[in-house]
Amino acid sequence: QVQLVESGGGLVQAGGSLRLSCAASGTIFSFNVMGWYRQAPGKQRELVASITRGGITNYGDSVKGRFTISRDNAKNMVYLQMNSLKPEDTAVYYCYAVRGPAMAPDYWGQGTQVTVSS
């Protein structure tokens, strides 16, 4: 079965940086879309960023200009470079993947905690 495993979360001061990684296994094929959601306790799930197989990116308004998403299609990996972090970025970050043309995620990672101190 397909699995997505995130890494790179942790505690960082406001203004600092973190790089999240997500590794996909269990499939020969690359995914149409990969990306990241985040969710803080008591708050709505929020799309952070996405990237297509061809490299087209999309970002949530709150992270534009600060976060950069990238992927390695051959390795089925996706990355999220997070710069100029703010306390409001604190959340559990979930990697997701879409197998085909559907917009809804087909697979989810287990999540990695990002905490930004003020």
Side-chain angles (χ1 to χ4, degrees):
Q1 185 70 292
V2 172
Q3 288 186 295
L4 305 179
V5 180
E6 303 100 329
S7 62
L11 176 64
V12 65
Q13 289 182 298
S17 298
L18 284 173
R19 182 176 174 86
L20 305 184
S21 299
C22 175
S25 63
T27 179
I28 298 173
F29 306 99
S30 63
F31 298 101
N32 185 38
V33 177
M34 299 184 75
W36 298 86
Y37 276 86
R38 68 186 182 186
Q39 188 167 32
K43 297 182 179 179
Q44 190 173 1
R45 185 183 63 185
E46 176 186 26
L47 177 65
V48 177
S50 65
I51 184 167
T52 71
R53 184 182 293 110
I56 305 300
T57 59
N58 182 62
Y59 296 94
D61 289 341
S62 63
V63 306
K64 287 180 179 177
R66 300 187 298 120
F67 291 10
T68 303
I69 189 170
S70 61
R71 66 185 287 174
D72 185 329
N73 292 334
K75 297 180 179 179
N76 270 342
M77 296 190 68
V78 64
Y79 308 92
L80 186 68
Q81 179 66 45
M82 305 185 294
N83 298 327
S84 301
L85 283 162
K86 304 174 180 179
E88 52 262 45
D89 295 318
T90 296
V92 178
Y93 284 70
Y94 297 93
C95 177
Y96 77 91
V98 182
R99 179 181 294 276
M103 297 181 66
D106 294 304
Y107 307 101
W108 292 93
Q110 84 288 347
T112 185
Q113 176 71 46
V114 172
T115 303
V116 184
S117 61
S118 59

